[in-house]
Amino acid sequence: MKKNYEYNGLLVFVILLYILVVIFVILTYFTKTYRSYNLISVIVVTDNYVKTYVDNKTFKKLKSTSRFYIDDKIYDYEIIEIEKNVMKRKNINYHEVLLKTKFPNKYKDNDSIDVSIYGNKKKVYSMFKKCWESD
């Protein structure tokens, strides 16, 4: 007759459960993505018009998308005017971009607004890799 400590059914169940959890965590680690956003400061010019100065990388993002976030709400925008190479700082050229959009009425002329545009999708492991490399 077996004693209580000789039964191994619970032990096998706990080991299988642990293996399944580890497999699930590893799959999530390599397949899960998250979105990153770029923050841009824009200046209100007049009603429904904003102006910003951006570098080449951000300029390409502005051209490729047509939506951004103001106060956690999505607004569509249209590029009205582009002046390239308006200013140069630390060997980076900046462009002046005039955008037409509808935004909340609480912003008046010459107010500065922080706008978020969609950046890239990144994998979770790349986030941990950057943290690991920084030390």
Side-chain angles (χ1 to χ4, degrees), residues 15-64:
I15 290 171
L16 288 175
L17 183 65
Y18 179 74
I19 290 171
L20 288 174
V21 168
V22 167
I23 290 172
F24 176 73
V25 168
I26 289 172
L27 287 175
T28 303
Y29 179 73
F30 285 108
T31 58
K32 184 71 175 167
T33 60
Y34 66 95
R35 292 181 179 219
S36 66
Y37 293 89
N38 296 338
L39 192 66
I40 302 172
S41 292
V42 298
I43 300 168
V44 177
V45 177
T46 59
D47 293 336
N48 299 329
Y49 289 96
V50 293
K51 183 193 313 185
T52 185
Y53 296 93
V54 294
D55 59 348
N56 286 331
K57 184 178 176 183
T58 310
F59 179 65
K60 288 179 184 177
K61 297 283 183 196
L62 276 174
K63 284 177 51 176
S64 66

Side-chain angles (χ1 to χ4, degrees), residues 62-75:
L62 276 174
K63 284 177 51 176
S64 66
T65 62
S66 64
R67 294 178 152 195
F68 54 58
Y69 289 90
I70 300 175
D71 298 333
D72 297 329
K73 293 183 182 176
I74 298 176
Y75 294 95

Side-chain angles (χ1 to χ4, degrees), residues 1-15:
M1 180 163 170
K2 288 188 174 185
K3 305 253 182 203
N4 282 341
Y5 64 86
E6 293 177 337
Y7 291 114
N8 56 6
L10 180 62
L11 181 63
V12 170
F13 174 73
V14 170
I15 290 171

